[in-house]
Structures are given as structure tokens and as C-alpha cells.
Amino acid sequence: MHRRCLAVVRMVPQAPEQACHRLEHALRRASGVDLGLRWHQETASGKLDSELLLGWLARHELDGVDTLDGRQDFGEAWGPRPRSQARLDTRWERGDWSFAWQVLHTGSARLEDLGSGLDEFVRLPSWTTHDVQARWRTPWNGVLVVGVRNLFDREPPIDPLQSTGSDYAFALYDGSGRTPYLQYRQSW
């Protein structure tokens, strides 16, 4: 028996999360556009870098069934699929110090409620989070990082069709809320 593993990958470089759902004999077809732009500027006050990644999904099918509209034919675990996602990374660096700001945006998604028998659709709104970080390279070959993920504590949109015990679509959203972190690395 042949199996394929289909994955939903979040666009977060610090902590890539992957949700993998096995679907027997499923053929996946997708089309869309990805765009990546980078900008770099060196000034007397430091280096400034920005990167913008945009993704737009025109079509997504599993075994010929359009899953872009959030049809739940393949199980609740697959969940909704937004047409657009974006990530903006901006970093300023001077000497041993750097500061970073990241904006993650997940576009709205449409879900079809097949369980009601009414062919009703539910739209999940878009969701945007902001992450910030400060980094200091110590004179003794260490690196101290302080940051906050989801700085403004934005809760993900509630998915009224979710039956997995959580109120949000876990394949799209990280429901952990504001998460401060402190990291220290030492090189020898």
C-alpha cells in the first residue's frame, strides 16, 4: 500500500512547524505565484536588511477535489487553506547589536460546512502577528537574544467547524499567544 505525506509549512524561520497528514493515494495539485524581494542598505548608523515573501495560491486540489474552498472531504485535520500568505523581515545591525521585526500575515480562508447539508460557507478572517527580537554579541564569544513572538497577543480566528478540541485551525495558526523568550549561546 503506497502512502504520501502532505504537509503544511509555516513561514517562520526561527521555529519551523510542520503539520503532516497522511492521506491514502491522494494526488496533490497546486498552482500559484511566489514572490521574494530583498533590500540591503549600509549607512553610518548601521546595516538595514529587509525581505518580503508573498505567496498567492490560485488552485489547490487533492484527487481532483478543490480544497481551496476549505472542503472537509479529506477529514477535519486538513483544514482551511488561505489564498495568500506574506512575511516581512526587517533587521537593523550595528556592531555587536541587532534588532529584528517580523510580520507574518495569513490571508482569509473559506470553509465549506459539509456536515450541515446546507452547503454553507464560513469565512475565517485574515490574521497578522508581529515578532520582535534584540541580539547582543558578547565580548566573550556569546550571543544573548531577547524577543517576543506575537507581540500584540493576537488570538487566531475561531474556526466554528473545528472538531479537534481546539477552537482554531491548528494547521494555519499558532495559538500560543504572546511568547517572550530569552536565549544564550556560547561558542568555544
Side-chain angles (χ1 to χ4, degrees):
M1 180 174 276
H2 178 66
R3 290 180 179 243
R4 288 193 180 151
C5 179
L6 304 176
V8 178
V9 178
R10 239 184 111 199
M11 298 190 305
V12 181
Q14 298 98 331
E17 297 173 13
Q18 191 171 9
C20 184
H21 308 287
R22 296 194 180 274
L23 304 173
E24 290 193 32
H25 306 288
L27 175 63
R28 176 182 174 188
R29 293 177 191 251
S31 63
V33 177
D34 289 330
L35 175 67
L37 302 171
R38 285 188 174 172
W39 178 73
H40 174 79
Q41 180 70 42
E42 292 196 33
T43 66
S45 62
K47 291 188 263 183
L48 186 62
D49 292 296
S50 284
E51 180 178 30
L52 176 64
L53 300 174
L54 301 170
W56 181 75
L57 193 57
R59 180 183 71 133
H60 187 271
E61 295 178 354
L62 290 174
D63 282 344
V65 176
D66 179 16
T67 60
L68 194 57
D69 67 3
R71 290 179 63 99
Q72 303 296 311
D73 293 5
F74 291 94
E76 292 286 327
W78 192 251
R81 181 166 301 285
R83 281 197 183 272
S84 62
Q85 287 188 311
R87 184 181 86 195
L88 172 64
D89 294 315
T90 303
R91 177 181 303 271
W92 174 79
E93 188 172 336
R94 182 175 180 180
D96 294 332
W97 289 92
S98 71
F99 298 92
W101 169 48
Q102 181 179 70
V103 180
L104 295 167
H105 175 78
T106 301
S108 63
R110 189 172 88 161
L111 298 139
E112 183 175 356
D113 186 359
L114 297 177
S116 71
L118 301 175
D119 287 332
E120 294 180 352
F121 288 92
V122 175
R123 181 164 295 281
L124 294 179
S126 61
W127 189 56
T128 303
T129 61
H130 298 260
D131 302 342
V132 292
Q133 159 180 305
R135 184 182 70 195
W136 175 51
R137 287 184 223 158
T138 67
W140 54 86
N141 241 2
V143 177
L144 179 66
V145 180
V146 176
V148 179
R149 289 189 182 99
N150 194 357
L151 179 65
F152 301 114
D153 201 21
R154 290 273 325 269
E155 291 186 13
I158 300 297
D159 180 354
L161 306 179
Q162 191 62 254
S163 65
T164 61
S166 65
D167 292 335
Y168 62 93
F170 65 91
L172 288 178
Y173 310 117
D174 178 5
S176 58
R178 180 183 300 129
T179 308
Y181 61 92
L182 176 66
Q183 179 184 47
Y184 180 78
R185 293 187 308 255
Q186 181 65 50
S187 298
W188 306 101

